[in-house]
Amino acid sequence: INNLGKKKQVSWVNKSLMKNKPKIADIYTKEDISKIIDKEKKVAYCRCWKSQSFPFCDGSHTFHNTVTGDNVGPLVLRE
Ligand code: FES
């Protein structure tokens, strides 16, 4: 049972991030994105739900892919 009283499902994609929220949705304006991209010239968003820096990719997908044989990776936006 999670924080919302829902039964845990082994098929859940998100197994640990912000489970006290009914839905995780991140909204970034063009200004927010341009600040991030200006600093790094690119930004990578996590699509594996394993990142400790979610919604940004921290490379955790590499371990996940190695252990599971999966092939997930980030969404990368470049300037
Ligand atoms: Fe999730 Fe990289 S850590 S895609």
Side-chain angles (χ1 to χ4, degrees), residues 45-51 56-61 72-74:
Y45 290 93
C46 177
R47 295 191 297 184
C48 75
W49 293 86
K50 306 294 181 197
S51 175
F56 303 105
C57 173
D58 70 354
S60 295
H61 61 268
V72 295

Side-chain angles (χ1 to χ4, degrees), residues 19-54:
K19 296 306 282 186
N20 60 334
K21 293 184 173 184
K23 177 173 68 177
I24 299 173
D26 297 299
I27 300 172
Y28 288 81
T29 64
K30 280 184 180 177
E31 187 176 90
D32 296 330
I33 293 170
S34 68
K35 284 179 191 170
I36 295 166
I37 291 179
D38 278 353
K39 202 174 8 170
E40 302 288 334
K41 301 292 183 200
K42 70 177 182 179
V43 61
Y45 290 93
C46 177
R47 295 191 297 184
C48 75
W49 293 86
K50 306 294 181 197
S51 175
Q52 296 303 304
S53 304
F54 196 87

